[in-house]
Amino acid sequence: MPEIHPIVDEGLGNSAYLVELGDRRGLVVDPSRDPTPYLKLARRRRLRITHAVETHLHADFVSGSRELAARGAAVVAAQAADLRFPHRGLDGEEALDLGGLTLRALASPGHTPEHLAWLLLDGSRPLALFSGGALLVGGVARTDLVSADQTEALTRAAWRSLQRLRTLPDDLPVYPTHGAGSFCSAPGNAERVTTIGAERAGNLLVGAPDEDVFTERLRGSLGSFPPYFLRLREVNRRGPRVLTDRDRELSQLSVKQVLRKVGNGAVLVDARPTAAFAAGHPPGALSIALRPQFATWLGWLVEAHRPLVFLLDDGQDRGELVRQCQKIGYERLAGEVAGGMARWRAAGLPERQVELVSPERAGDGPTLDVRQASEVAVGRLPGAITVELGALDGGHGLPAGPLTVMCAHGERAMTAASLLARAGRRDLRVVVGGGPAEWSATSGRPLVGS
């Protein structure tokens, strides 16, 4: 059995896989745009990456196949994906000879029309299934990311694809691309790899008695998703630009340059921790704390064509911020405020503050809960107003006057407060250090259902 190494993107909830092929060769399945993790691991394992294999046109991240191709890898993808850059296109049942091992394409439409799962074989013996989104741990990938008018047909195609995959050997390891935390996946569990037998036994979608029940279950589990999902399939079809060393740097901007760029339409994104933002920030700044989920919320809340200016603390990783922007196709990175908030203050420019409160004070007055609907369904504060962060839209329809904003920990709530402040709201408080569960524990009061 060849060694298979998962490389997990915790922020997007996805996994790529480096497969050791023998003879110091390696293959990467579904790489994300930054090739660094795969190249570093390959160097440690003394491998040369010879192939980059795609299961489908991704909607949630920019593919890294072109980056690996620029370093000598051959790109392999579905013929039906119609990639506009050099690659080898395969149809279902076609195979790629890997010199001792074989990778067989299994047509598995559903998550996307062109989707292929890849079966790794030693002769005729199945070794592993790279299932992309056709089969996940406890679920399957969502079928509504191509277009609304194709969702029904793709959902039924996903059922037919599952019927084929579930006939593979029970002990066959399954390596999905999408997992816990991915907006591409329907609800499953936190494990990232599985087996055919485990999914036959415990996956409610695999175990659906017929196509209609499967369709009802899957479509009933689909929540909202970031709007950038609707454009990245085409970015990946055309082929993203191969990045240069200069693209990985963040320019230093004077306060005067920042003000000019913001005046010309740039968005000032404050990526500092929530406590720093609360203590003082430029008026109109959008708070998105730099953490694994930074890219998701940037892509959800800021249009891709807008230039971006960042405010950071000294110890934050600029390279990580740039990588997160670029992996969802955000490339108009104008730079950062040189000297940070200290330089802003030294220039005598105005700043705003936000009051922070602990979870036990969440119910003091009107409370806005900005978690996802699936989180709210588990329990919310009695009387809380619930609006997903991605649907906040300036706060239209919210009651006037003081407002407490909460999520599960505080980062999303601060983002929501910054959006409301940009729309003119004042007298905002943000709950940090916990959410509804902590409020219930400290107050002794039960949460209510959605």
Side-chain angles (χ1 to χ4, degrees):
M1 177 72 180
E3 291 198 56
I4 299 173
H5 307 275
I7 301 98
V8 179
D9 182 330
E10 298 288 353
L12 295 185
N14 293 325
S15 297
Y17 301 96
L18 174 62
V19 184
E20 299 197 24
L21 302 175
D23 298 327
R24 301 297 181 190
R25 296 172 300 124
L27 171 154
V28 181
V29 179
D30 284 343
S32 186
R33 190 173 196 180
D34 177 20
T36 306
Y38 321 119
L39 298 174
K40 283 184 175 179
L41 180 55
R43 282 195 294 270
R44 288 201 302 270
R45 303 295 299 179
R46 299 177 62 191
L47 302 173
R48 176 172 59 92
I49 297 176
T50 58
H51 295 83
V53 176
E54 299 283 357
T55 59
H56 60 288
L57 290 169
H58 304 289
D60 54 337
F61 65 91
V62 176
S63 166
S65 283
R66 287 202 79 189
E67 294 286 340
L68 293 177
R71 294 159 174 85
V75 178
V76 182
Q79 184 71 38
D82 191 27
L83 299 186
R84 306 300 170 84
F85 56 92
H87 69 286
R88 179 171 176 182
L90 272 67
D91 292 318
E93 297 307 322
E94 291 190 305
L96 178 68
D97 183 355
L98 296 170
L101 299 173
T102 301
L103 198 63
R104 182 174 299 281
L106 303 180
S108 44
H111 180 43
T112 66
E114 77 289 341
H115 195 286
L116 295 178
W118 295 96
L119 184 62
L120 185 66
L121 299 152
D122 183 359
S124 61
R125 181 168 66 95
L127 300 177
L129 178 70
F130 299 99
S131 61
L135 176 61
L136 310 182
V137 183
V140 301
R142 60 194 305 159
T143 53
D144 59 338
L145 300 181
V146 176
S147 67
D149 60 357
Q150 293 189 54
T151 299
E152 178 76 14
L154 285 173
T155 303
R156 294 185 178 277
W159 162 259
R160 294 189 291 273
S161 295
L162 269 187
Q163 302 319 296
R164 179 181 188 187
L165 298 181
R166 73 197 301 273
T167 65
L168 293 168
D170 274 356
D171 61 352
L172 182 66
V174 177
Y175 297 90
T177 299
H178 304 302
S182 169
F183 281 99
C184 272
S185 64
N189 64 43
E191 297 298 319
R192 297 202 176 272
V193 297
T194 185
T195 64
I196 293 293
E199 296 313 302
R200 282 168 56 87
N203 188 322
L204 290 177
L205 291 172
V206 175
D210 57 47
E211 183 176 323
D212 288 338
V213 172
F214 170 87
T215 299
E216 182 180 0
R217 287 178 181 175
L218 178 54
R219 297 199 65 174
S221 70
L222 302 176
S224 57
F225 59 87
Y228 74 87
F229 278 27
L230 297 176
R231 63 180 183 82
L232 284 196
R233 276 177 53 83
E234 190 56 32
V235 169
N236 286 320
R237 187 193 311 279
R238 293 196 311 267
R241 183 173 62 88
V242 175
L243 300 172
T244 67
D245 289 341
R246 186 173 180 179
D247 291 320
R248 296 176 174 86
E249 299 172 355
L250 202 57
S251 299
Q252 299 293 305
L253 303 174
S254 69
V255 169
K256 184 177 294 186
Q257 288 174 306
V258 169
L259 292 173
R260 184 165 61 248
K261 288 181 181 296
V262 170
N264 289 331
V267 178
L268 177 54
V269 178
D270 192 327
R272 297 176 299 153
T274 55
F277 183 87
H281 59 270
L286 174 63
S287 172
I288 309 179
L290 181 58
R291 61 195 193 282
Q293 296 77 25
F294 175 85
T296 294
W297 293 109
L298 177 69
W300 208 315
L301 300 171
V302 181
E303 303 95 330
H305 69 274
R306 300 282 295 276
L308 302 175
V309 176
F310 300 97
L311 183 61
L312 293 151
D313 276 342
D314 288 343
Q316 291 185 286
D317 187 342
R318 273 71 176 163
E320 173 62 14
L321 181 140
V322 171
R323 285 190 291 272
Q324 289 213 40
C325 292
Q326 291 170 342
K327 76 181 177 182
I328 60 167
Y330 281 59
E331 298 185 16
R332 301 195 66 187
L333 312 183
E336 68 166 301
V337 182
M341 196 61 198
R343 185 68 58 84
W344 184 273
R345 290 180 175 126
L349 294 168
E351 60 181 286
R352 300 278 187 267
Q353 291 81 33
V354 178
E355 182 183 358
L356 302 179
V357 298
S358 55
E360 60 264 26
R361 294 185 58 195
D364 299 348
T367 300
L368 171 66
D369 185 335
V370 296
R371 295 175 300 152
Q372 298 298 109
S374 58
E375 298 172 274
V376 170
V378 176
R380 58 175 171 80
L381 270 65
I385 305 160
T386 59
V387 182
E388 288 188 358
L389 173 57
L392 198 53
D393 190 28
H396 300 298
L398 296 177
L403 187 66
T404 300
V405 190
M406 72 184 311
C407 58
H409 302 287
E411 290 89 354
R412 285 177 290 172
M414 188 62 79
T415 300
S418 71
L419 287 170
L420 294 173
R422 292 173 76 194
R425 293 291 299 251
R426 297 290 180 266
D427 206 357
L428 298 166
R429 304 188 307 170
V430 168
V431 177
V432 293
E438 288 73 19
W439 173 85
S440 180
T442 56
S443 69
R445 297 174 61 190
L447 301 175
V448 298
S450 57

